[in-house]
Amino acid sequence: NTPEVISLYLMSDMQSLHIHTLTDSEAHLDAFVSEHFFAREGVLSIDCKMPLRRIKNRRGGPRL
C-alpha cells in the first residue's frame, strides 16, 4: 500500500511512469523513493522534480 501516491500515469513510451506523491517532508519523499524505486532491479533512472508553485489547477469538466 502506498498512500503517498496520489496519481500515477503510464507514459506513451510504455516504459516510464509519471507519479504524483504527497509527503510531509523531503526526508519522507527520499525514504519513499529509496524504498519503492531505488530498491527495484528494473529501474534504470529516476528524474524527481518538486513543484515551486501552482500556476493553474483544473478539476472536472470536459477534457479538450
Side-chain angles (χ1 to χ4, degrees):
N1 188 13
T2 53
E4 299 89 350
V5 176
I6 57 174
S7 57
L8 175 64
Y9 303 88
L10 177 62
M11 303 307 286
S12 60
D13 65 3
M14 301 300 285
Q15 297 178 28
S16 303
L17 295 175
H18 180 89
I19 303 169
H20 291 195
T21 61
L22 186 59
T23 58
D24 59 2
S25 67
E26 286 185 42
H28 185 185
L29 176 61
D30 182 55
F32 172 79
V33 171
S34 295
E35 178 183 345
H36 294 284
F37 299 103
F38 288 139
R40 293 190 182 263
E41 188 175 313
V43 174
L44 300 178
S45 67
I46 294 175
D47 183 15
C48 184
K49 296 178 178 73
M50 296 177 64
L52 298 176
R53 62 187 161 131
R54 180 178 294 179
I55 305 299
K56 182 177 179 179
N57 185 38
R58 183 174 192 275
R59 294 193 186 264
R63 299 280 177 193
L64 302 177

